[in-house]
Amino acid sequence: MSNAAETPNLMEALVSLAKRRGFIYPSSEIYGGLNGFFDYGPLGVELKRNIRDCWWRDMVHRREDVVGIETSIIMHPKVWEASGHVAGFTDPLVDCKVSKQRYRADQLFFAAVVIDGKTVGYVSALESENTAGELQAAAEQLKRKKAIQGALEPVKVREFTEATADEIPLIPSPATGEPGSLTPPRAFNMMFETNVGALKDASSVSYLRPETAQGMFVDFKNVVDTTRVKLPFGIAQIGKSFRNEITPRNFIFRSREFEQMEMEYFIHPDADWLACHEEWLKWCQDWLISIGLPASHLSLHEHPKEKLAFYSRRTVDIMFKYPFGVQELWGIAARSDYDLQQHQKFSGVPQVFFDEAAKAKVVPHVIEPAVGVDRIFLAVLASAYAVEDVKDEKGNVEQRTVLRLSPRIAPTKVAVLPLLKNKEQLTNRAKALYTKLKKRYAVQYDDGGAIGKRYRRQDEAGTPWCVTIDFDTIEKEGDTFTLRERDSMAQRRITESELFALLEEQVY
Ligand code: GAP
């Protein structure tokens, strides 16, 4: 068997499976697609919805201290001035004047090529699993090309943001391999601008939100005034966010339109924010494991103090081992009272909570777990994917592709399969079961082709169970079906009530 980690070109396999089986399509594909935008197909939309629903149930319904809201995507432009996004939500952009390619300076690396202590040129490479190796190889190549004798020093990898004004003209563009075409980095604001109303001038400029979080801050007073929340409490939201990313890449990992699940947890200014931060860090990791991500693929990255976002006291990212490297999945930030203070200042409306014990008004502090649904989707797909050798009914070895998705999030929970399509007794019983199941669960009815083929189809779609209505169902006592389990491929007889009990236990 080969699993995610062992499949060469896993990303290619995932993109191809996603398209073939209707999980994800490129957006506007008939027009050549649009970089950084994607559509979710019939299976994808179910998987994505299940991820969201699981999070909402666990974060909002099953907790007593978190409420949910849904705020507008376009908000008053002042929101983004107050939050700091208008001035500071930028990435360092580098242009290649020859190829017209654009790079993020913090994802572009370079090194001086030093031979016998003397710099003889520069090499560059884009961020990858092996940036240092690529730069070293490029340095060796440059030495050969220039036919310089002497000892080549091991390269010292530097981010393009650290390049001096003298060095920039000497660093080759990754697109052309030639120096002289890269511009110095400039701040590029990632917010998508739009105009609200009939007039298109500076007064009508607004933005598609780059994060859902500001909705929770701006509605903080509304929630406090209209519900019975007491500190500490959280406000959660799921919704679309938009960022004009310079380099959208790695399929849905970094896109320009994506979905976030964020929760702002308001705590008393005197509360132990570090302990609270740790608690949420653990909650988030446990939750990822509960939807089927392997703990072995998760790790933590503590942001060094000098690289913290302007609003953060501490940020720890939960990292996931994606096929293209270990990358951020979920950021858990301690945002202090930065946002509420800013909105208080810009709106003139006090953003306070009345502390009964101290008989005083306080501006709460915030712990924020913020995650992208699409990043979870990709993590789930990558770790669930496997290709394995199996034997068909005649004992011949064949390959099956299987998505070992947790029943909690699998797009289809059960497939109902009548053994034969043209035997009414079988199809009637199968349809009756299908009708009953689909009142409660996402179920598929499939009577097309050999039973083995139908099992494979469901394996590839991640369906945890198939139920086959066969001759034993209609001829023997007990009204039992064959339950075929996706991962072990084991089969056993099961009654209708046992099937419902199994689903009740495993799906929610
Ligand atoms: N409110 C804080 C905030 O938005 P962030 O780290 O910029 O923090 C939170 O984003 C999460 O949103 C990330 O950890 C990631 O899962 C997801 N995310 C951010 N940018 C994304 C993008 N361009 N495409 C897909 N997901 C993204």
Side-chain angles (χ1 to χ4, degrees):
M1 183 187 105
S2 71
N3 64 16
E6 294 153 0
T7 308
N9 296 324
L10 178 58
M11 277 309 286
E12 267 172 42
L14 292 180
V15 173
S16 149
L17 173 81
K19 174 78 200 295
R20 193 172 69 247
R21 293 309 311 265
F23 282 95
I24 300 171
Y25 313 125
S27 162
S28 326
E29 197 181 9
I30 58 168
Y31 292 100
L34 186 61
N35 196 9
F37 296 89
F38 295 92
D39 295 343
Y40 285 80
L43 284 181
V45 79
E46 293 295 334
L47 177 54
K48 196 172 180 208
R49 187 177 292 260
N50 292 340
I51 293 171
R52 273 194 238 123
D53 288 351
C54 275
W55 188 87
W56 194 261
R57 267 198 306 275
D58 292 337
M59 179 61 90
V60 181
H61 294 172
R62 291 178 178 162
R63 294 187 66 103
E64 289 172 10
D65 55 352
V66 178
V67 294
I69 56 168
E70 191 170 306
T71 65
S72 61
I73 285 175
I74 297 178
M75 302 168 80
H76 196 291
K78 274 249 162 75
V79 169
W80 306 109
E81 280 176 41
S83 66
H85 283 82
V86 171
F89 194 59
T90 58
D91 270 342
L93 170 71
V94 176
D95 281 299
C96 168
K97 287 179 285 187
V98 172
S99 69
K100 308 292 175 218
Q101 293 283 332
R102 302 189 125 181
Y103 304 102
R104 255 175 68 173
D106 56 351
Q107 292 172 354
L108 175 56
F109 293 86
F110 74 102
V113 180
V114 183
I115 298 175
D116 287 342
K118 196 167 159 255
T119 298
V120 299
Y122 287 83
V123 286
S124 65
L126 292 173
E127 183 181 41
S128 74
E129 276 283 80
N130 185 27
T131 310
E134 285 175 29
L135 286 173
Q136 188 65 43
E140 279 156 22
Q141 203 183 350
L142 190 78
K143 178 175 181 262
R144 276 197 301 277
K145 196 171 148 198
K146 293 198 169 192
I148 304 174
Q149 300 299 315
L152 176 68
E153 289 181 15
V155 293
K156 287 198 188 95
V157 181
R158 290 162 67 197
E159 216 177 82
F160 195 80
T161 47
E162 300 162 18
T164 63
D166 291 342
E167 283 175 318
I168 288 175
L170 306 175
I171 299 170
S173 158
T176 63
E178 297 298 327
S181 65
L182 294 178
T183 62
R186 65 184 164 89
F188 173 79
N189 194 303
M190 287 188 286
M191 280 200 294
F192 278 104
E193 256 183 44
T194 186
N195 293 85
V196 175
L199 271 184
K200 247 189 169 185
D201 62 16
S203 69
S204 66
V205 167
S206 198
Y207 307 94
L208 303 190
R209 67 179 175 204
E211 62 172 22
T212 58
Q214 293 305 319
M216 278 80 98
F217 296 123
V218 169
D219 269 339
F220 166 76
K221 270 304 278 172
N222 277 335
V223 172
V224 168
D225 293 345
T226 57
T227 67
R228 291 161 53 79
V229 290
K230 295 264 175 294
L231 286 181
F233 72 91
I235 310 180
Q237 162 158 234
I238 300 179
K240 290 261 176 143
S241 292
F242 302 82
R243 296 182 188 179
N244 198 3
E245 297 279 357
I246 298 169
T247 50
R249 59 180 173 159
N250 292 328
F251 199 25
I252 54 170
F253 176 81
R254 178 173 293 116
S255 53
R256 290 179 164 140
E257 173 177 339
F258 56 99
E259 205 159 355
Q260 287 186 308
M261 306 197 286
E262 297 195 281
M263 196 276 298
E264 309 303 323
Y265 198 69
F266 297 95
I267 57 174
H268 194 283
D270 298 338
D272 184 347
W273 65 269
L274 199 55
C276 185
H277 190 257
E278 285 292 333
E279 271 170 39
W280 278 109
L281 201 50
K282 166 137 186 18
W283 189 95
C284 297
Q285 292 172 86
D286 289 347
W287 187 81
L288 290 171
I289 292 166
S290 84
I291 61 158
L293 290 190
S296 58
H297 282 44
L298 301 176
S299 57
L300 298 180
H301 167 69
E302 174 104 32
H303 286 219
K305 284 243 158 12
E306 65 281 6
K307 289 208 166 170
L308 282 177
F310 51 90
Y311 52 73
S312 177
R313 266 180 169 181
R314 182 188 186 212
T315 299
V316 178
D317 291 337
I318 301 176
M319 311 293 281
F320 184 78
K321 197 168 154 220
Y322 286 97
F324 41 85
V326 174
Q327 294 281 345
E328 172 189 339
L329 172 57
W330 200 331
I332 295 96
R335 290 179 82 121
S336 70
D337 59 356
Y338 173 82
D339 301 270
L340 289 182
Q341 291 286 9
Q342 285 292 99
H343 288 303
Q344 181 161 277
K345 194 162 117 196
F346 277 69
S347 68
V349 180
Q351 299 297 310
V352 292
F353 192 91
F354 188 71
D355 176 6
E356 292 285 352
K359 299 280 179 246
K361 289 173 181 166
V362 295
V363 179
H365 286 222
V366 167
I367 304 295
E368 175 200 73
V371 68
V373 183
D374 315 77
R375 282 199 189 173
I376 296 179
F377 191 113
L378 185 56
V380 157
L381 214 57
S383 50
Y385 180 90
V387 177
E388 38 180 56
D389 290 338
V390 290
K391 284 196 179 137
D392 69 9
E393 297 101 89
K394 292 178 190 140
N396 301 322
V397 175
E398 58 173 26
Q399 278 207 326
R400 77 160 179 162
T401 302
V402 56
L403 283 184
R404 299 180 188 281
L405 296 172
S406 154
R408 291 192 83 195
I409 56 169
T412 307
K413 307 304 177 192
V414 189
V416 178
L417 320 173
L419 187 63
L420 299 173
K421 192 181 185 167
N422 50 9
K423 197 91 190 141
E424 229 178 46
Q425 270 177 299
L426 295 175
T427 54
N428 284 348
R429 183 65 191 95
K431 279 185 184 148
L433 177 66
Y434 168 65
T435 307
K436 205 165 169 184
L437 280 168
K438 78 185 164 92
K439 284 193 183 136
R440 196 157 158 59
Y441 300 103
V443 199
Q444 275 194 12
Y445 182 87
D446 186 0
D447 60 8
I451 197 77
K453 260 219 166 87
R454 283 183 267 166
Y455 286 153
R456 299 281 173 276
R457 238 183 341 249
Q458 295 300 332
D459 289 343
E460 210 182 40
T463 308
W465 300 284
C466 289
V467 174
T468 305
I469 317 311
D470 47 27
F471 288 104
D472 279 0
T473 313
I474 50 176
E475 285 168 3
K476 288 198 178 156
E477 284 208 355
D479 190 33
T480 60
F481 324 111
T482 299
L483 180 87
R484 188 261 192 184
E485 212 260 332
R486 177 196 64 206
D487 297 347
S488 64
M489 295 185 290
Q491 302 190 2
R492 64 186 162 100
R493 307 281 321 160
I494 191 168
T495 64
E496 189 175 291
S497 59
E498 284 165 349
L499 176 62
F500 273 91
L502 174 77
L503 290 170
E504 186 61 26
E505 186 199 313
Q506 300 272 330
V507 169
Y508 286 97

